[in-house]
Amino acid sequence: AMVSDRPDREALQARRKMLKRSAIYAAVAVLFIAQLTEYGEIFHQSMPGFGTTGRMFWAKYFHKPTDERMLVRKNKEGICEWAPPLKLERSYTPPHTLLVAFPGSGKRLAWRIMESLTGYVTGDDWNLSDEGYHVASIKTSYPHYEGVWTWGDKFYDANIIFLLRNPRWAIPSYQTMRHELQYSTSWEQSYSRRPNTYTKRPDIPEWIRWRDRQFRRQLRMWGWMIDFYMNNGLRRTLDDGRQIIDWHCKPNKEIINSCFPKTIVSYEKLNSKNTLIGEAEAQRLADAMIEDREDPMPIAEKEDWRCAYDETILKRATEPQWDGTNRDVVGPPGDQKNFTWFQLQDIKTELERLITNYTNVTLGWDVDPIANQLVFSLADYLTEIDYEISITPPYTWPPTSTPSDSPSSLPTSSPTFKPTPFPTFPPTDKPTNFPTFKPTKLPTFPPTPKPTNPIAEEPRA
């Protein structure tokens, strides 16, 4: 009898193992679906795999910060000092802030100041910081393809701060970051190469090769990001006049209250050698974080804002990889990453386009305070570009066999950089299509203060 019972026991044990395995698979599937729902239903460019979802789940429930970020607080004697930042308690949900900028615009300095002001860590869209998405603030480059909307509707109440930097310097800085990450093409590669960031600049030949391949694309993206947020998520206008609004910015989706920025913060001013200018810009950043809040914002007392900014800047001298200034130690100086005369002309044309758009009296931009902030910075950039154009030769002159005076007319041989008719994309009455990923055409639609036509449905990517 004992022998005959053995097969039954083995079969029972096998069934139990199968049920246990099925239960584990079901639990994993439920967690996967739950994370997809929590992190925004869809990802802007692609659905996350099990690996990405697993990292999100781990960061949310089990992660403890490993890096020693620092912030300013007052001690018991009332003296300003540095202390580690805090992660939010699971039961606490403060008002949120979304820091958006073209990649290479100095978000690192801005979020360090934000952490100093609030006392809480800042997360990032790709979660490379391992801070998860239960945070008071997130930095992102969305809708640039280096950014992704991963926080779903958690930041519905967010105040958006747009960090602006002259494309003349933002594009080279972006290339430096790509170099440090060894031009990574996956989350895993970028995550493993984080120690390389803010450590070195590439050599000039590498910069020139990347610049000549990527310049026009990145300049278009720089201008389009401004148009996107200034027009509350407007991606493009169709031939019939309907406006395509980004899926996340549509009011009926209840993902975010508004994609229009509360303020435009200038990186140049925030990073100014004049401390008074930097402190004033940091105060504007802080004001935008607390503006129009129903619930109290966790932020330092206004009298301590100057201290928070000053101590953040001083940390550059003692903390490695604090911000981009650490790159000055290895590699060529940043001002050696130049553009050609024709590329500078392209930058000038884009700046003039934006200034013209956002001073338009008919559309009401001339009295919009955010547009005024934008145009003020753009005008400074235009002045800087005009000067650089004036000292940059339009051609590389071919060598001559004997010394001679500078020619009075254009050389008969072909220049090193062949001129092309400009603008490449002349303005038209009808908008051109600007796809979400890998844009190929510059959007030429005139900006509007807000979408006024029926909103067309944006197909989900």
Side-chain angles (χ1 to χ4, degrees):
M2 293 179 61
V3 174
S4 62
D5 290 341
R6 184 175 298 173
D8 293 337
R9 288 199 300 271
E10 291 178 351
L12 181 60
Q13 291 176 355
R15 283 196 297 270
R16 287 176 177 173
K17 289 182 180 179
M18 182 181 66
L19 290 173
K20 185 182 295 184
R21 190 180 300 112
S22 299
I24 293 174
Y25 290 157
V28 171
V30 168
L31 289 174
F32 180 75
I33 296 172
Q35 290 302 106
L36 290 187
T37 302
E38 181 173 352
Y39 287 100
E41 299 180 11
I42 64 167
F43 274 50
H44 181 61
Q45 295 180 28
S46 62
M47 297 293 289
F50 277 98
T52 300
T53 305
R55 286 189 296 273
M56 291 177 176
F57 181 79
W58 181 267
K60 176 180 176 182
Y61 293 107
F62 302 106
H63 172 70
K64 294 182 179 180
T66 56
D67 56 337
E68 277 292 310
R69 293 186 183 178
M70 311 286 286
L71 64 143
V72 172
R73 295 198 190 109
K74 275 188 175 180
N75 60 21
K76 294 180 179 180
E77 290 74 30
I79 300 175
C80 194
E81 65 177 12
W82 289 91
L86 302 175
K87 289 180 69 72
L88 294 178
E89 296 291 336
R90 297 304 307 173
S91 59
Y92 176 46
T93 303
H96 296 98
T97 303
L98 198 60
L99 177 67
V100 302
F102 180 87
S105 295
K107 292 192 294 292
R108 192 178 187 89
L109 175 60
W111 66 248
R112 286 197 184 279
I113 295 173
M114 292 167 63
E115 285 189 344
S116 298
L117 291 167
T118 64
Y120 291 107
V121 295
T122 296
D124 68 279
D125 48 5
W126 290 104
N127 196 28
L128 292 171
S129 62
D130 277 341
E131 298 298 346
Y133 302 101
H134 184 63
V135 289
S137 55
I138 282 180
K139 64 183 183 73
T140 182
S141 292
Y142 185 88
H144 190 284
Y145 55 81
E146 291 286 1
V148 62
W149 194 297
T150 48
W151 54 89
D153 61 357
K154 289 179 176 294
F155 275 51
Y156 177 81
D157 66 330
N159 282 358
I160 293 179
I161 296 175
F162 193 104
L163 182 63
L164 185 69
R165 188 180 188 183
N166 191 335
R168 165 63 181 89
W169 305 107
I171 294 174
S173 179
Y174 170 44
Q175 188 267 337
T176 297
M177 178 62 73
R178 296 291 295 133
H179 165 80
E180 291 167 332
L181 293 174
Q182 301 174 36
Y183 300 94
S184 58
T185 57
S186 68
W187 188 95
E188 289 78 10
Q189 290 176 352
S190 296
Y191 187 85
S192 65
R193 296 166 185 170
R194 290 184 308 163
N196 300 334
T197 57
Y198 301 96
T199 58
K200 57 185 177 179
R201 290 192 181 94
D203 58 32
I204 299 305
E206 179 182 334
W207 152 248
I208 292 176
R209 290 192 298 270
W210 185 91
R211 177 199 70 186
D212 293 343
R213 291 194 307 268
Q214 289 284 335
F215 168 72
R216 288 187 179 274
R217 181 189 189 191
Q218 299 306 328
L219 181 61
R220 295 183 193 115
M221 293 295 291
W222 180 86
W224 180 62
M225 280 194 68
I226 294 174
D227 288 331
F228 177 91
Y229 284 102
M230 290 299 292
N231 291 279
N232 203 12
L234 179 62
R235 285 191 168 272
R236 61 187 179 274
T237 303
L238 303 179
D239 292 345
D240 59 8
R242 291 183 300 161
Q243 296 170 337
I244 298 297
I245 305 299
D246 185 86
W247 187 82
H248 305 91
C249 301
K250 291 183 178 181
N252 62 328
K253 299 301 181 183
E254 297 185 350
I255 300 297
I256 192 168
N257 184 49
S258 173
C259 285
F260 189 78
K262 288 291 184 181
T263 191
I264 306 288
V265 171
S266 165
Y267 171 77
E268 288 76 12
K269 293 180 180 178
L270 203 61
N271 193 41
S272 175
K273 293 181 179 180
N274 186 327
T275 304
L276 295 178
I277 294 176
E279 290 173 350
E281 200 68 6
Q283 180 170 334
R284 291 184 56 251
L285 185 152
D287 284 333
M289 295 174 68
I290 63 176
E291 183 179 345
D292 299 331
R293 298 296 197 183
E294 294 182 2
D295 298 324
M297 181 72 186
I299 197 168
E301 297 293 332
K302 198 165 187 175
E303 62 190 34
D304 298 327
W305 290 359
R306 175 181 295 182
C307 168
Y309 172 80
D310 292 343
E311 292 297 322
T312 301
I313 297 299
L314 288 175
K315 272 293 176 180
R316 289 173 168 172
T318 59
E319 299 294 327
Q321 298 174 269
W322 187 250
D323 61 11
T325 55
N326 192 59
R327 291 167 172 161
D328 295 333
V329 179
V330 181
D335 57 7
Q336 289 188 14
K337 298 177 73 172
N338 294 324
F339 291 93
T340 68
W341 185 86
F342 295 103
Q343 290 168 341
L344 292 172
Q345 291 286 354
D346 285 359
I347 295 175
K348 177 179 179 178
T349 298
E350 179 65 4
L351 292 172
E352 291 175 337
R353 177 188 76 83
L354 291 167
I355 291 173
T356 300
N357 282 347
Y358 297 108
T359 54
N360 190 302
V361 176
T362 303
L363 298 176
W365 286 115
D366 60 316
V367 295
D368 186 285
I370 306 301
N372 292 339
Q373 295 173 7
L374 171 66
V375 171
F376 189 84
S377 292
L378 294 176
D380 286 343
Y381 300 163
L382 184 59
T383 300
E384 184 177 356
I385 292 298
D386 275 334
Y387 173 74
E388 189 168 359
I389 288 174
S390 71
I391 62 174
T392 302
Y395 299 102
T396 299
W397 299 92
T400 58
S401 56
T402 58
S404 60
D405 295 331
S406 298
S408 58
S409 60
L410 296 179
T412 55
S413 59
S414 299
T416 303
F417 300 101
K418 296 182 180 180
T420 57
F422 194 82
T424 305
F425 303 105
T428 59
D429 294 333
K430 295 182 179 180
T432 56
N433 184 27
F434 196 97
T436 302
F437 189 70
K438 294 185 179 180
T440 56
K441 294 185 179 180
L442 179 67
T444 56
F445 58 85
T448 56
K450 58 181 180 180
T452 55
N453 296 314
I455 296 175
E457 284 295 324
E458 174 84 354
R460 296 187 178 185

